[in-house]
């Protein structure tokens, strides 16, 4: 009985609760849609939808700063004012004349010319000069410098031109003008020392008169003091009077890269030419105490001299060994002063 009564109680309670859920007015309740049945039950677990992982903000690209590579300096020279300080173009020279050529140039580039820069022979006639001459000083851009070279005029008459450039420390050559490619130069005119014979003035020849014919006496040959031939190495001396007690008349030396014969004491020497001189010709020739450049002398060249003892004579360059710079001189000294 108790079990029946408890069952009736639960049935009645369910009916009451069901009646409370009916709509007002007795109209049937609309069925729920699938979307409206989305209420979770008490046992439904809520699952959180993960939000997409945030991407880091994009950085703004920064322009790279270019690396500046320093430009190499430029070697350039321009003519000074004037460029020909000495020996302008077409200066007349005698054979074997010693002279000093001086150019004035301006550093118009961007490189500083250091003491290791050089003035170098480029082409043309060498004129007895060395191949290179170091500047020996610093020349900054915008500064001028005088470049000097000792030279010797050739023995043969003619026009001679010698071209020169500057050489940088790295060995590159440069000159003047656009592109620094033009060499500067010296141009000389060598003339013969011989003077033309005077033109004879025509004269009226009177009729011949019979006169006794006389036999002309032969011209006496000047007496010879001494003759000889010597091989000379650099530093050797030569005495041309034939006397052991006599002083040395000439020394064979190397001066600033050039090979020269240097007269000693009262001796005086000079270049005569390629023809055999006579006593009178050597007496009238030009002689001095200046160095005689061997580098520009051709084999067979004659030199006239007056010895330390006052005797006149001549020497002939017989041979030059350019490997050892040994030279051979033959000589003749007259007894007459």
């Amino acid at each position: 009985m108790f079990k029946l009564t408890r069952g009736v109680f639960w049935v009645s309670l369910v009916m009451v609760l069901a009646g409370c859920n009916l709509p007002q007015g007795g109209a049937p309740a609309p069925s729920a849609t699938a979307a409206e049945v989305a209420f979770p039950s008490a046992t439904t677990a809520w699952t959180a939808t993960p939000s997409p992982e945030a991407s880091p903000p994009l950085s703004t690209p920064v322009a790279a700063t270019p690396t500046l590579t320093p430009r190499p300096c430029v070697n350039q020279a321009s003519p000074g004012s004037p460029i020909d300080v000495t020996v302008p173009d077409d200066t007349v020279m005698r054979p074997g004349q010693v002279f000093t050529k001086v150019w004035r140039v301006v550093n118009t580039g961007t490189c500083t010319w250091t003491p290791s820069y050089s003035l170098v022979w480029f082409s043309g006639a060498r004129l007895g000069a060395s191949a290179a001459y170091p500047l020996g000083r610093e020349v900054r851009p915008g500064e001028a410098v005088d470049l000097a070279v000792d030279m010797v005029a050739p023995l043969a008459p003619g026009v001679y031109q010698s071209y020169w450039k500057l050489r940088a420390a790295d060995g590159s050559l440069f000159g003047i003008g656009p592109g620094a490619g033009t060499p500067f130069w010296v141009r000389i005119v060598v003339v013969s020392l011989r003077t033309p014979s005077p033109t004879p003035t025509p004269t009226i020849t009177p009729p011949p008169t019979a006169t006794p014919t006389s036999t002309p006496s032969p011209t006496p040959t000047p007496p010879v003091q001494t003759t000889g031939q010597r091989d000379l190495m650099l530093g050797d001396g030569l005495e041309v009077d034939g006397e052991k007690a006599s002083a040395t008349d000439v020394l064979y030396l190397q001066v600033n890269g050039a090979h020269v014969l240097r007269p000693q004491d009262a001796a005086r020497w000079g270049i005569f030419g390629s023809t055999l001189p006579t006593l009178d010709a050597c007496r009238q020739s030009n002689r001095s105490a200046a160095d005689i450049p061997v580098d520009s002398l051709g084999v067979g060249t004659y030199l006239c001299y007056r010895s330390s003892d006052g005797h006149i004579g001549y020497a002939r360059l017989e041979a030059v060994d350019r490997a050892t710079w040994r030279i051979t001189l033959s000589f003749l000294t007259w007894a007459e002063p």
Side-chain angles (χ1 to χ4, degrees):
M1 182 66 182
F2 174 77
K3 290 182 181 178
L4 181 62
T5 303
R6 188 172 57 176
V8 173
F9 172 78
W10 284 114
V11 171
S12 300
L13 178 62
V14 169
M15 292 179 64
V16 171
L17 292 175
C20 292
N21 288 330
L22 291 175
Q24 298 292 332
S31 61
T33 64
E36 292 173 335
V37 184
F39 294 102
S41 64
T43 58
T44 302
W46 290 93
T47 303
T49 302
S51 61
E53 185 176 351
S55 299
L58 297 178
S59 59
T60 303
V62 179
T65 303
T67 302
L68 298 179
T69 303
R71 294 184 178 180
C73 63
V74 176
N75 283 307
Q76 171 97 28
S78 294
S81 181
I83 185 171
D84 294 315
V85 179
T86 64
V87 192
D89 284 350
D90 301 320
T91 297
V92 176
M93 299 273 182
R94 56 180 173 80
Q97 181 174 338
V98 179
F99 64 97
T100 300
K101 173 63 185 181
V102 180
W103 295 280
R104 180 171 297 158
V105 296
V106 181
N107 182 353
T108 52
T110 58
C111 296
T112 295
W113 302 348
T114 65
S116 59
Y117 279 52
S118 300
L119 171 67
V120 296
W121 173 74
F122 181 67
S123 64
R126 185 79 166 267
L127 300 180
S130 299
Y133 296 86
L135 291 189
R137 55 160 290 192
E138 187 177 87
V139 183
R140 297 180 180 276
E143 293 182 346
V145 62
D146 287 354
L147 308 172
V149 178
D150 292 330
M151 297 181 173
V152 182
L155 297 178
V159 179
Y160 297 88
Q161 191 156 343
S162 182
Y163 297 90
W164 295 73
K165 281 189 174 185
L166 289 164
R167 183 173 64 198
D170 61 1
S172 60
L173 299 180
F174 64 97
I176 59 177
T182 304
F184 38 95
W185 63 85
V186 57
R187 186 170 65 238
I188 62 173
V189 180
V190 179
V191 296
S192 175
L193 292 176
R194 298 182 180 181
T195 56
S197 302
T199 304
T201 303
T203 57
I204 300 175
T205 305
T209 303
T211 55
T213 303
S214 59
T215 303
S217 58
T219 302
T221 301
V224 175
Q225 172 86 0
T226 185
T227 62
Q229 182 169 301
R230 282 279 311 278
D231 291 336
L232 300 178
M233 297 297 293
L234 289 170
D236 289 344
L238 176 63
E239 187 273 317
V240 296
D241 284 311
E243 300 176 5
K244 293 183 179 180
S246 298
T248 298
D249 294 288
V250 69
L251 282 177
Y252 180 39
L253 304 171
Q254 184 174 9
V255 180
N256 295 328
H259 305 85
V260 300
L261 290 170
R262 176 169 293 177
Q264 300 295 296
D265 298 329
R268 297 294 182 266
W269 288 61
I271 300 172
F272 181 78
S274 58
T275 58
L276 178 66
T278 63
L279 173 59
D280 288 339
C282 274
R283 280 175 175 163
Q284 298 172 12
S285 65
N286 294 322
R287 303 179 305 273
S288 70
D291 292 344
I292 295 178
V294 175
D295 297 339
S296 61
L297 294 181
V299 172
T301 301
Y302 287 92
L303 311 172
C304 283
Y305 58 78
R306 186 187 70 201
S307 70
S308 298
D309 291 347
H311 295 102
I312 300 297
Y314 67 81
R316 184 177 187 270
L317 183 62
E318 302 290 348
V320 179
D321 184 351
R322 297 188 180 271
T324 62
W325 283 104
R326 180 184 63 190
I327 64 173
T328 302
L329 287 178
S330 61
F331 60 93
L332 180 147
T333 305
W334 286 288
E336 297 182 10

